[in-house]
Amino acid sequence: MALMKLVSPHTLVYLSIFLCILVDLGYSEDISYTVAGESLEPIVVIESHNIYKRAVNDTTSDDVTTESASTNPVPNGTNAPTTEAPAPQTTASPVATTKAPSGGAITSEPPTPFTTTISDDHKYYHSQILPPEYVENHWVEQKDAIRHKTLSNNYRVAVSVQMNFNFRFYGHEINSVTIATGGFLYMSPFLHKWLTATQYIAPLMGNFDTTLGNTSEILYKDYNDMFIVEWSDIYLQDQNHTNPFVFQTQLYENGTIKFIYKKLPLPISEINKASHPVKIGLSDAYYIDSSVNGKNRRTIYEYHRVEVDTSLVREGTVIILHPKKTCNLLTDCEMCVTDELGFDCKWCGEVQRCSDGVDWNRQTWRDKGCTTKAGNSNCDLLNNKNRDFSLGIVIAVIVILLILIGSIGGWVFYAYRNPQSSSGMWLMEHRPSQMKQKMAKMKFWKKTTSTGEKYEIRSEAEA
């Protein structure tokens, strides 16, 4: 009661709101990474992403914003993107999870023992979680793998590495990955420093620091049809009192992804999220480029995320993610409109592509009018739309040429019938017989100069 007399109710309300904001800002999905040897795109505006908060870092370069495809909040003093995007598809395993009181970070119960395979269906992937007795069947010893020096002795650093095959990630073919010390791969060719936000493959994203252990190292090896990255004997920077972590991810040519956990000294739920996000799963996004107040702006829209239930992950667990066939893999109209993939696949004759409008080519799909022109019915009709457009251009060119030829012919006819007019006088002076006489009066001779032989032409007709 004494406190109530000293402080007004309004002040207490504002203080409570301020404290809630501080709690909510305690967890961020945006952690800055250094990508060694690469020129990074600057990010100066970072907006809301799902339920997490982002902070503005720089204000001197072109804009790149990161958003959830479901919501486009407009912070004070910023300009809202004009592009509307479909809602993100976020899927998780059926085992229950709980949210922190702030409504932000998702926490899980300690690992749940299980002895059978747990399967789950996601929109773009089908997942299997295998119990520890299968780990030896999937773990690959990296005896002659490459030990990357930069990755094996750094903190919050990433390095791009080429692969010898095309790997399909959400239906997009890529041949390079960016390996991060924080236990994940960044999959997009568009490099910036906020790698933890989206477009990742994360066997165990966390605040790992490879400078803490004498035997800490990050290994990788390309088997031409399989690419393996291993985080070996690594420690959490803010929880380095534990034994080291050892886990690897395997990428297969057909798009299959495996996470294998050989050593997990801590339950995933006990890994600190305050200074680095902790994730197991996948994420993808597309970009929309625009110009706002004379500045280039790139907005990143996350359209899908696979979140594996961390309560099912313990030492020895194997997670397999099988890709589903997507619209952007269908190369002709007949396949696009007849295949039943579970997506709203449509064919757009303007770009000769099959899509549901949600992939890396979203901007081209939108700018070419495919959001309204694309369809999934008659292919002849869909492709004829493109042919009709091309035929229209040809007809327009022919009409212009005919008008030009007709105009020239009409002028010649007028000049011929009216020799006293200026057109008629010009035509008589430049008729073929007169031009022939002028050419006959021209004289040619050689002239030697200091720079070599030149030819000069003089016409007596101009005398």
Side-chain angles (χ1 to χ4, degrees), residues 140-444:
V140 177
E141 292 294 338
Q142 300 286 75
K143 294 181 179 179
D144 54 349
I146 297 173
R147 179 187 184 274
H148 200 285
K149 294 181 180 179
T150 301
L151 292 172
S152 299
N153 191 33
N154 262 297
Y155 174 59
R156 290 188 184 175
V157 169
V159 174
S160 295
V161 177
Q162 290 291 125
M163 297 189 295
N164 294 330
F165 61 93
N166 288 331
F167 173 74
R168 288 179 176 174
F169 179 66
Y170 281 88
H172 308 103
E173 289 195 348
I174 58 177
N175 57 14
S176 68
V177 297
T178 301
I179 306 171
T181 56
F184 67 97
L185 309 178
Y186 177 74
M187 305 304 292
S188 173
F190 172 61
L191 291 175
H192 53 81
K193 60 185 178 181
W194 306 101
L195 305 184
T196 61
T198 184
Q199 295 192 292
Y200 55 75
I201 293 176
L204 180 53
M205 184 187 293
N207 196 29
F208 293 108
D209 186 348
T210 56
T211 66
L212 298 178
N214 294 329
T215 59
S216 296
E217 55 186 3
I218 295 179
L219 310 170
Y220 69 89
K221 185 176 181 181
D222 195 322
Y223 294 83
N224 294 322
D225 59 355
M226 177 177 64
F227 187 83
I228 299 180
V229 180
E230 181 179 328
W231 291 261
S232 180
D233 287 339
I234 59 174
Y235 294 85
L236 292 166
Q237 190 192 61
D238 43 4
Q239 294 173 287
N240 53 42
H241 60 280
T242 69
N243 291 326
F245 290 73
V246 181
F247 56 92
Q248 65 181 210
T249 184
Q250 302 171 1
L251 310 183
Y252 291 81
E253 190 174 17
N254 64 0
T256 298
I257 302 167
K258 290 183 181 180
F259 302 154
I260 305 102
Y261 305 92
K262 192 171 186 179
K263 293 182 181 179
L264 288 182
L266 277 180
I268 307 300
S269 60
E270 294 182 14
I271 297 178
N272 188 8
K273 301 181 179 70
S275 55
H276 196 289
V278 177
K279 306 178 189 178
I280 296 178
L282 314 175
S283 172
D284 197 23
Y286 59 80
Y287 312 123
I288 297 294
D289 292 327
S290 59
S291 179
V292 179
N293 296 330
K295 296 182 67 177
N296 295 328
R297 175 174 178 166
R298 170 163 284 185
T299 305
I300 305 174
Y301 291 94
E302 181 187 54
Y303 67 86
H304 187 264
R305 182 185 295 191
V306 176
E307 294 178 331
V308 176
D309 184 3
T310 57
S311 68
L312 299 175
V313 179
R314 54 192 173 118
E315 192 168 289
T317 298
V318 177
I319 299 174
I320 306 176
L321 296 160
H322 302 280
K324 294 184 178 181
K325 195 173 183 179
T326 53
C327 301
N328 53 357
L329 295 176
L330 305 178
T331 56
D332 63 70
C333 182
E334 291 296 334
M335 294 172 60
C336 180
V337 301
T338 56
D339 276 18
E340 297 181 0
L341 304 180
F343 298 93
D344 186 20
C345 299
K346 294 181 180 179
W347 181 261
C348 181
E350 296 291 335
V351 295
Q352 293 293 297
R353 287 188 64 248
C354 182
S355 177
D356 61 349
V358 185
D359 55 39
W360 289 3
N361 297 296
R362 164 79 177 176
Q363 180 149 20
T364 302
W365 186 267
R366 184 200 65 174
D367 292 348
K368 294 294 184 179
C370 295
T371 51
T372 56
K373 295 179 181 179
N376 52 11
S377 55
N378 190 312
C379 282
D380 291 333
L381 179 62
L382 293 173
N383 286 322
N384 279 337
K385 290 180 181 179
N386 192 44
R387 295 194 192 101
D388 291 343
F389 178 74
S390 301
L391 182 61
I393 294 177
V394 173
I395 292 174
V397 171
I398 292 174
V399 169
I400 292 172
L401 289 175
L402 290 175
I403 292 174
L404 182 62
I405 294 171
S407 299
I408 295 173
W411 175 81
V412 171
F413 180 76
Y414 170 79
Y416 180 78
R417 295 298 299 270
N418 299 275
Q420 300 301 322
S421 65
S422 58
S423 296
M425 297 292 290
W426 188 91
L427 187 63
M428 286 190 294
E429 291 177 0
H430 295 83
R431 64 185 184 272
S433 60
Q434 291 293 325
M435 295 300 297
K436 185 176 181 180
Q437 291 178 9
K438 291 181 179 181
M439 293 293 294
K441 294 178 181 180
M442 289 183 179
K443 293 182 178 180
F444 299 82

